[in-house]
Amino acid sequence: MTSIPRDELNRTTCPIVETIKIIGTEARLLVLRYLFDGPKGFNQLLRDTGLSSKTLSSTLKFMEDVGIVERRIVSTRPFKVEYILTDKGKELETIFKVMGQWGEKWVLEKVKIP
């Protein structure tokens, strides 16, 4: 694995910093986690994530704007919308798996997260 020079981490164009800006909130992480399993409707995401309607709505809008989630109209009568990951969003799953493995090894067993 190639390491990133320290001076790169201090720049505003650092790819790691820019990625964290896109996925780095708890709400976004939760939405991504559930969308990795496949398309979901708004109400299903609301139940799965435990987020408020307002938070989920703004989170999904942001994720659409940055191109990692797509909103699709499934039917008009009754009106039904589902959210699906774009190819760009699907590529984040690898990052999540590695973060999960790291968390299981170093965080969950040793520290109680508040």
Side-chain angles (χ1 to χ4, degrees), residues 2-26:
T2 306
S3 64
I4 297 174
R6 285 193 181 276
D7 62 325
E8 283 292 314
L9 294 175
N10 295 327
R11 295 185 190 164
T12 57
T13 58
C14 171
I16 295 170
V17 171
E18 295 306 310
T19 301
I20 294 298
K21 287 179 184 178
I22 292 172
I23 66 169
T25 69
E26 186 175 348

Side-chain angles (χ1 to χ4, degrees), residues 21-22 28 57-67:
K21 287 179 184 178
I22 292 172
R28 292 178 204 152
S57 181
S58 64
T59 297
L60 288 166
K61 176 69 174 126
F62 173 84
M63 294 170 81
E64 284 180 80
D65 290 345
V66 296

